[in-house]
Every structure is written in C-alpha cells, then in structure tokens.
Amino acid sequence: MQDILFTPFTLSSGLTLKNRILMAPLTRCMADDNLVPTQAMADYYQKRAGTGLIISEAIIIRPDGQGYPNTPGLFTSQQIQGWRKVTEAVHNNGGKIFAQLWHVGRVAHPHFFGGGDVLAPSAIGIEGSVPRMRELTYQTPKAVTQSDIDSLIYDYAKAAENAIEAGFDGVELHGANGYLIDQFLHYSSNHRTDEYGQTPSNMSRFPLAVVDAVITAIGAERTAIRVSPGAYFNMEADARDRNVFDYLLAQLSIRNLAYLHGGIFDDAMEFDYLDGRISRYLRDNYTGALVGVGGFTPQSAAAAIGNNDFDLVAIGRPLIANPDYVERVKQQQELTPYSEEMLAALI
Ligand code: FNR
Ligand code: 8K6
C-alpha cells in the first residue's frame, strides 16, 4: 500500500533521493552557546539518514536573525566545522541533507545578539514573548533600509556558501512561518511604500533577490525554498496575499529550483483566499518538484503522492518520536506517538 513512499525521486536538480520521505526542518534549540552543532546533534541526524532527504533545523544566517535560545548558526568557522560533523555522519550512513537558512526578522530578540535593532520590512511588531523565555517580550522592529536589505541578501548568499563548505547537499531558504522572508510577502507585515511594498512584484522583490543571490552562489540545483501562502503563525491573514503568492510562484517556477516546500502545521487546514489547502494551491501554481507537509501519516502521505497532490512528503513530529521512522514504516511496525515532552532531549 505504502510502496510509493519507497520509490526513488529525482529532484529538478538531478539529485536522486532514495525514497519520498523527507525529514521536515525541526528547531530543537540544542546547539551550544556559540550556536555550534554538538556531537549529540550529529548522532540525532545520523539516526535519521534513512529518509530520502533530511532538511536541517532552521539555521540562522547571522546574529540578528535569532529569536530562540541555542538555535544553530552558519556564520562562524566553528559553526561550519560543527555542521561538517553532522553532514559527514549523515553521508556516512547513506543519507542526504540540506541546510534550512533562517532569519526570523521581527521575531528576533536583542537578548540573543547583545542588543541592537530587530529588523523587518516595516515597523510592525508582533504580540507576545519568546517561547521558553517568556520574560523576553517582542519589540517593535526597525523597517529595513536599502543598505540593510543589501547586507541581508549578501549574508543569505554567504550562509549558502558556508553550507556547501560544511558539506550540505544544498540549502532550503526558510521563506515560511512568519519569519523575515515571509514578512515581505504578506500585507499585514509589509506596509512599505517603496519598491519592496504595495504590489505583488514589489513585495516579492526581496524574497526573489535572496533566491537569486543564493542561486548565483551555489547553483539553482542546490537551492530550494519553503513558503507559507496561508498566514497561520505570527501573521494576520489578508485575502490580497493571494496575488503576491500567485506572482511569486510563477517567478519561482522559472528558476529550476531543487524543490518547493509548503510551510504549514496541518495540511488539512483550508484558506478561503487560496481556495483550500496549501498543497493544492502550490500544486496548481508551481510547476517543479513539490514537498507536502503537515499532519501526514504513512497512509495519508502515500495516498496524496499516489493522487499526485505532491511529489515528496516531509515528516516532522513523527520523526522526533521515531528516529527509525522509515524502517518502521517499511516493516509495517507500529510508530511511537509524538508528545511535547520529547522536545526536552535529542534521541
Ligand atoms: C517545527 N517546524 C519548523 N518548520 C520550519 O520550517 N523550520 C523549523 O525550524 C521548524 N521547527 C519546528 C520545531 C518543532 C518542534 C515543530 C513541531 C515544528 C514545522 C515542521 O517543519 C512541520 O511543518 C510541522 O511539524 C508539520 O509536520 P508534522 O509534524 O505534522 O509532520
Ligand atoms: C520547540 C522549540 C521552541 C521554538 C521552536 C520554534 C520553531 C518554530 C516553528 C514553527 C512553530 C509553529 C507553531 C504553529 C502552531 C500553529 C497552529 C495552527
């Protein structure tokens, strides 16, 4: 029944994955205090090398991109060396791994980077405080200047080069879940009146500039992106966002990326202004390889791939609970259910 999950798939890049099951990016807040990956992280990823492709936990591209404790970085030589241990462990076990590159934009907190501005498209903050550190209330960000934008684009491209130096097979830009790139793409977080705001092509300008800079640095075949057309996390929905994503997806379709990945917690969630689910909307508006995600079981994932809803599935929480998820599914063994307490340690 689930045989389709175990058929190989060749990405737009030519990279062949041994099966259709991807490890979804999962922030674990377990890097050391210099944001360097640890041996425990190398062991954790190595155990999951049976997936067709691991997408790493989100990795910050520079200090002011940090919004959670102990999230790893990819901007110091120590961090590059730390990631090298992880990629070698995965490759030695027959796996492949992409780095998810992250700047949280207005979800950053200066506590993590010794003070300074929180950057975002517009000076519109979010309510609330940092998870696990509730005393850190979110601040009103500074609207980025052209020179901030230039340096952010440069730093994304530099982090992509660092990822390749660290042995990653490619990078996935984190353009989802209400973080910096996504903040440009929604009307509720982007009130700019210059060439980065107000129209779909303007609102897509920064995201596409980052994509193009990364393509120039490491090649389109090693570049992927995750997007959240449906606002659901740290973001207010606005029906006009549809036009932005229609434009963005047409532009991404002509760039021959490795794949496109939807960013959502539960793909059963429907958005009126997208005419339904994220996976359906992305399939209808993007022509390359598509990764579905959000609440899939082996059964529902096999059915969705069989139905051509998407080409690959990313599995998140079940892979936290079951390091040997792929083997268990293959052997038709029972899966351990996920629970939040499992986030306390890497297994
Ligand atoms: C996530 N998710 C996530 N997404 C992302 O793009 N980058 C990240 O670093 C994280 N971190 C993260 C941490 C934890 C603890 C959870 C539970 C989730 C979202 C994740 O990739 C995925 O979209 C969801 O978990 C939905 O898939 P599952 O878990 O239903 O298979
Ligand atoms: C558990 C680690 C602490 C910080 C993790 C941050 C990672 C963010 C990933 C997105 C989380 C989204 C939660 C959204 C729930 C939406 C329900 C509709």
Side-chain angles (χ1 to χ4, degrees):
M1 267 302 281
Q2 286 136 45
D3 291 354
I4 198 162
L5 296 177
F6 298 99
T7 54
F9 183 81
T10 302
L11 298 178
S12 319
S13 52
L15 188 69
T16 298
L17 309 183
K18 62 191 169 192
N19 61 52
R20 306 289 186 108
I21 302 169
L22 274 50
M23 179 175 176
L26 294 161
T27 290
R28 301 301 308 269
C29 302
M30 296 284 182
D32 76 14
D33 288 341
N34 294 315
L35 312 187
V36 175
T38 62
Q39 186 58 46
M41 286 167 62
D43 297 344
Y44 160 86
Y45 282 111
Q46 180 172 26
K47 287 181 204 154
R48 288 152 175 92
T51 53
L53 177 68
I54 293 171
I55 305 162
S56 78
E57 63 202 282
I59 308 175
I60 58 169
I61 61 162
R62 61 187 220 173
D64 65 9
Q66 188 175 353
Y68 306 91
N70 298 91
T71 51
L74 203 35
F75 51 89
T76 69
S77 53
Q78 244 188 325
Q79 292 161 357
I80 296 171
Q81 290 318 312
W83 279 116
R84 185 159 274 290
K85 280 193 213 140
V86 174
T87 62
E88 279 171 3
V90 169
H91 290 150
N92 289 341
N93 247 17
K96 293 191 165 58
I97 181 166
F98 271 38
Q100 193 190 46
L101 301 185
W102 197 25
H103 190 297
V104 302
R106 64 180 179 169
V107 187
H109 199 288
H111 168 80
F112 298 118
F113 47 93
D117 291 323
V118 169
L119 300 180
S122 299
I124 305 166
I126 49 165
E127 295 290 316
S129 55
V130 177
R132 298 185 188 182
M133 303 181 82
R134 291 296 175 197
E135 68 285 6
L136 299 177
T137 310
Y138 289 124
Q139 305 198 352
T140 304
K142 178 193 119 174
V144 286
T145 61
Q146 183 62 50
S147 103
D148 294 327
I149 286 178
D150 294 343
S151 92
L152 284 161
I153 294 168
Y154 178 87
D155 288 335
Y156 273 105
K158 182 68 192 152
E161 280 172 9
N162 292 347
I164 299 304
E165 192 185 332
F168 283 100
D169 297 288
V171 306
E172 174 180 292
L173 288 166
H174 195 342
N177 298 349
Y179 299 116
L180 181 65
I181 290 175
D182 200 31
Q183 288 159 25
F184 277 86
L185 295 168
H186 294 267
Y187 281 89
S188 70
S189 49
N190 183 345
H191 290 192
R192 296 181 75 94
T193 53
D194 64 359
E195 59 181 333
Y196 296 96
Q198 288 183 315
T199 66
S201 65
N202 282 350
M203 292 165 74
S204 301
R205 192 176 308 279
F206 174 75
L208 289 171
V210 172
V211 170
D212 288 337
V214 170
I215 288 175
T216 302
I218 65 166
E221 72 285 1
R222 293 195 288 199
T223 305
I225 186 166
R226 187 174 217 198
V227 296
S228 292
Y232 76 104
F233 182 60
N234 284 334
M235 190 66 77
E236 299 281 319
D238 185 315
R240 294 172 296 168
D241 293 349
R242 162 76 182 249
N243 302 328
V244 182
F245 282 88
D246 284 355
Y247 175 85
L248 178 77
L249 293 172
Q251 285 293 315
L252 292 175
S253 291
I254 57 178
R255 281 169 168 76
N256 226 2
L257 301 174
Y259 63 83
L260 176 76
H261 187 182
I264 189 72
F265 257 61
D266 185 353
D267 194 47
M269 203 172 162
E270 303 211 351
F271 296 86
D272 287 350
Y273 60 94
L274 301 175
D275 301 325
R277 296 174 173 226
I278 297 291
S279 56
R280 166 69 23 219
Y281 170 72
L282 293 177
R283 192 53 138 186
D284 289 345
N285 289 278
Y286 179 78
T287 53
L290 180 64
V291 181
V293 72
F296 285 96
T297 62
Q299 295 77 5
S300 65
I305 293 174
N307 196 36
N308 199 29
D309 294 343
F310 42 80
D311 304 296
L312 300 151
V313 67
I315 299 292
R317 289 162 288 188
L319 259 158
I320 292 178
N322 301 272
D324 54 349
Y325 179 89
V326 171
E327 270 314 300
R328 288 201 195 192
V329 173
K330 206 181 258 174
Q331 311 294 338
Q332 305 207 336
Q333 289 167 3
E334 214 172 306
L335 294 169
T336 304
Y338 167 82
S339 70
E340 276 200 8
E341 303 82 75
M342 292 175 178
L343 295 178
L346 292 176
I347 55 156

